[in-house]
Structure formats: C-alpha cells, structure tokens
Amino acid sequence: MSIGTSSTVTTPTPAASGAAAEARARTLTVWAGRVTAFIGAGHIAVFTVQSWSHWGDWLTGRLHGPAAIEDPANTDSLRLFWSLPGSFAVPLILLGLLLARMARTGQEVPRYVTWTLAAWILLGGWILEPSGFPLGLVPITLLLLAHRAHRTDPSKPHRDRDRKRGGN
C-alpha cells in the first residue's frame, strides 16, 4: 500500500482463479451449446416453410426405391428432403443440447469435438457459399475460448503445461 491510498492490490489464490476459469469455461460452453441448438432449430424452421408442399409425398413413400430417386420429376422433392429431414439439423440440435449439459455437469468437451465441428463448418462454408455455415463459427469460437479457459485453470492438470514442467 502506498501513502495516500486506501486500496491494496491482492493476487487471487490459485483456487479462486481456478474457480473463475472453470466458471468462464462452463458459461462459454453452455452458450456454444445454445447457439448450436439455435442454428439447428433455425435450419428446421426455414426449410419446413420451404418444403411444406412435399411433406405429403414424403410421408406416403413417393421417394421409395431407385426409380423414384432417379425420376427427374422428384428432383425438387429430393433436394428439399436432404435440406430438412435428411439434413444434420436434428443432430446439430442434439449436439448443442449435449454441449450445454456437459458444461452444466462440469465436463470439458473433448477437443476432437471442437476441431471436427470446425473442420466440417469450414469445409461446408468453402464448398457452399452463400450458406449458413459461417454461423457455426460462433459456437466454435466459444468452444475454443472455453478450452483456453480450461487450460489456464491452475487447479487442473494440463498435458502440455505439465510436460513443460517435467511432469507426466
């Protein structure tokens, strides 16, 4: 403390900074899950409106068999099928809900999930533009920030940090 001031500077204890890092990682991961589920739900909403006239055909089996799939009259119906019920929208919603649950229960999302999702989003955005793929960069960024917060948590062992110190 210096003369004329009434404040002191304290450094947080490792336990306190570890709890803060853990809370930040959880919050980021929950939001990544919410955004991922929202993107999937938005995809379903948009393509349900666009494909509504084809639902009767789909439910009655008009697309059954190779002849129906190869019939040029079914091209629009097939395109819309792969845009909605055959798309990744439902698995994307489930992934988002899973991410949020993992965060709420204190589990760290494996890095391979983040990197695989990032590769899929970047490849899809590269192949098909304009598309909604760039929206996926939001949850990817949140997950990467959550991984970074986990890595800076001094209360948890980290493979790279421990290796530099001569640990396992």
Side-chain angles (χ1 to χ4, degrees):
M1 180 160 29
S2 63
I3 298 174
T5 63
S6 61
S7 65
T8 59
V9 177
T10 60
T11 57
T13 63
S17 62
E22 182 66 29
R24 178 170 164 73
R26 283 184 184 188
T27 300
L28 290 166
T29 304
V30 166
W31 276 104
R34 288 176 180 169
V35 171
T36 301
F38 180 77
I39 291 170
H43 188 278
I44 288 174
V46 167
F47 283 101
T48 295
V49 171
Q50 290 182 5
S51 66
W52 192 252
S53 62
H54 295 278
W55 280 75
D57 292 343
W58 296 341
L59 296 175
T60 59
R62 183 169 178 193
L63 296 180
H64 286 190
I69 292 173
E70 294 171 5
D71 184 355
N74 291 333
T75 302
D76 196 41
S77 182
L78 280 168
R79 178 184 62 82
L80 288 169
F81 171 81
W82 288 113
S83 295
L84 185 61
S87 74
F88 282 96
V90 172
L92 201 58
I93 292 170
L94 292 173
L95 175 63
L97 296 173
L98 181 63
L99 292 173
R101 180 183 172 122
M102 287 180 75
R104 286 189 195 105
T105 59
Q107 299 175 47
E108 184 179 356
V109 175
R111 283 176 174 71
Y112 66 83
V113 171
T114 304
W115 290 114
T116 303
L117 190 59
W120 174 61
I121 287 167
L122 292 172
L123 180 64
W126 176 262
I127 292 171
L128 182 64
E129 186 57 41
S131 70
F133 277 105
L135 292 174
L137 295 175
V138 174
I140 291 303
T141 301
L142 293 171
L143 289 171
L144 290 172
L145 290 171
H147 289 307
R148 184 177 180 184
H150 275 291
R151 190 176 64 230
T152 59
D153 182 350
S155 66
K156 292 200 176 209
H158 185 263
R159 188 177 48 207
D160 296 333
R161 187 176 63 221
D162 293 340
R163 190 177 301 129
K164 289 177 187 173
R165 292 182 186 163
N168 294 335

